[in-house]
């Protein structure tokens, strides 16, 4: 096995700002120094398999030698372990419950729908795009109902929050998806979601952590060519 990194806080991730980018964003938000280990998901390291034998996925946060797994669990761990502000989750239990509900909806419904678009073609892809748009509509309506008059993507001081960090994955890289794959967020069908994502893209920390557009386009095109051939 490769030598274990010896920093107190280590993140195993991938560069393409997929789900693993969430952990780096949360650590940067809190100002916690960390060592980053880039994983080649086509050739996973023994260390990754050692730390995450169940899912064999990134992100993995290793804190003082102990692995914490699953991005949503890791975000909560970061907030609970480093208790100083900015807080990533709201303090009030009902508000926290609503945020967790919509974060789960994003991960369980919206992200799989984006994957389906990437892995399909022709009419199947058209149908998948339509399904994503419907799910985004449910998300738009639910968020507006649950958080009237305020954005759950930022806290009162303008820091990106738990739900903002979650939605950043995939959504904030939409220009690369539009160029390399297909239109996944339509300004006609889901203008509200698009405006939320564009405001997240303006957040300095997110700007700093977004993957390079051209590099991501190349990667997505290569992926498309491979799976659709
Ligand atoms: N539910 C997991 C999903 C993590 C995930 O999908 N990671 C992807 C990269 S974005 C991965 O490691 N894929 C490798 C594989 O599926 O073999 C989380 O939230 O942490």
């Amino acid at each position: 096995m490769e030598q274990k990194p010896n920093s107190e806080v280590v993140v195993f991730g991938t560069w393409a700002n997929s789900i693993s980018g969430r952990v780096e964003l949360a650590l940067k938000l809190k100002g916690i120094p960390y060592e980053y280990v880039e994983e080649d998901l086509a050739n996973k390291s023994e260390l990754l398999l050692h730390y995450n034998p169940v899912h064999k996925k990134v992100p993995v946060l290793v804190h003082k030698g102990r692995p914490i797994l699953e991005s949503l669990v890791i975000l909560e761990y970061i907030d609970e372990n480093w208790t100083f502000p900015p807080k990533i989750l709201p303090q009030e239990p009902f508000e926290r419950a609503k945020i967790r509900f919509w974060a789960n909806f994003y991960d369980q419904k919206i992200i799989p729908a984006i994957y389906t678009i990437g892995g399909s073609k022709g009419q199947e892809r058209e149908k998948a795009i339509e399904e994503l748009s419907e799910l985004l509509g449910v998300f738009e309506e639910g968020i507006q109902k649950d958080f009237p008059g305020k954005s759950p993507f930022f806290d009162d001081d303008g820091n990106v929050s738990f739900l903002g960090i979650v939605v950043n994955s995939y959504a904030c890289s939409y220009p690369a998806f539009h160029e390399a794959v297909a239109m996944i967020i339509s300004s006609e069908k889901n203008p509200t979601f698009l405006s939320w994502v564009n405001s997240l893209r303006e957040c300095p920390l997110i700007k700093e952590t977004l993957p390079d557009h051209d590099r991501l386009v190349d990667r997505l095109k290569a992926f498309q060519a491979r799976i659709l051939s």
Side-chain angles (χ1 to χ4, degrees):
M1 197 190 305
E2 306 88 354
Q3 202 184 347
K4 289 184 182 167
N6 53 17
S7 306
E8 187 169 314
V9 180
V10 185
V11 178
F12 287 74
T14 57
W15 64 268
N17 186 40
S18 48
I19 297 173
S20 64
R22 290 173 177 172
V23 178
E24 290 195 84
L25 199 48
L27 291 171
K28 281 179 194 279
L29 184 66
K30 293 267 189 185
I32 301 156
Y34 62 93
E35 179 180 343
Y36 176 74
V37 179
E38 173 73 20
E39 267 298 319
D40 174 3
L41 294 180
N43 184 22
K44 293 173 185 167
S45 70
E46 283 181 43
L47 265 181
L48 176 67
L49 304 179
H50 165 76
Y51 284 129
N52 192 355
V54 175
H55 294 303
K56 305 176 176 62
K57 290 185 178 192
V58 292
V60 173
L61 175 73
V62 183
H63 184 212
K64 297 182 181 162
R66 299 179 306 182
I68 300 108
L69 310 168
E70 287 290 309
S71 62
L72 300 185
V73 176
I74 299 172
L75 292 183
E76 296 217 23
Y77 177 85
I78 291 172
D79 214 23
E80 286 168 0
N81 191 70
W82 290 279
T83 51
F84 49 80
K87 295 298 288 179
I88 298 174
L89 270 164
Q91 298 308 291
E92 209 273 309
F94 186 62
E95 293 302 309
R96 291 165 81 92
K98 288 189 293 184
I99 293 288
R100 289 187 179 115
F101 174 85
W102 287 111
N104 277 297
F105 181 86
Y106 190 84
D107 276 15
Q108 290 166 13
K109 299 282 186 189
I110 292 180
I111 290 183
I114 295 174
Y115 283 162
T116 305
I117 295 171
S120 57
K121 55 183 168 183
Q123 279 191 340
E124 200 192 325
R125 174 170 280 183
E126 292 308 314
K127 190 166 160 265
I129 291 173
E130 197 47 50
E131 279 170 6
L132 174 65
S133 173
E134 280 169 23
L135 288 167
L136 292 178
V138 172
F139 189 79
E140 286 171 328
E141 208 176 304
I143 294 288
Q144 290 176 108
K145 183 166 154 282
D146 274 354
F147 306 96
K150 69 175 196 141
S151 166
F153 306 105
F154 297 95
D155 68 13
D156 292 343
D157 298 318
N159 297 300
V160 63
S161 66
F162 191 87
L163 203 55
I165 293 173
V166 168
V167 168
N168 167 54
S169 304
Y170 295 100
C172 281
S173 299
Y174 77 84
F177 273 78
H178 286 189
E179 190 173 330
V181 185
M183 166 100 72
I184 55 168
I185 312 174
S186 152
S187 57
E188 280 165 27
K189 292 184 179 155
N190 301 106
T192 306
F193 185 78
L194 187 61
S195 73
W196 291 337
V197 172
N198 282 335
S199 66
L200 282 169
R201 282 171 54 81
E202 285 307 308
C203 164
L205 210 51
I206 288 185
K207 261 191 190 157
E208 196 187 300
T209 50
L210 272 179
D212 179 73
H213 174 85
D214 293 339
R215 190 175 174 208
L216 187 55
V217 166
D218 286 349
R219 180 177 165 138
L220 288 168
K221 281 186 175 164
F223 177 72
Q224 291 288 288
R226 210 168 51 244
I227 57 161
L228 299 180
S229 61

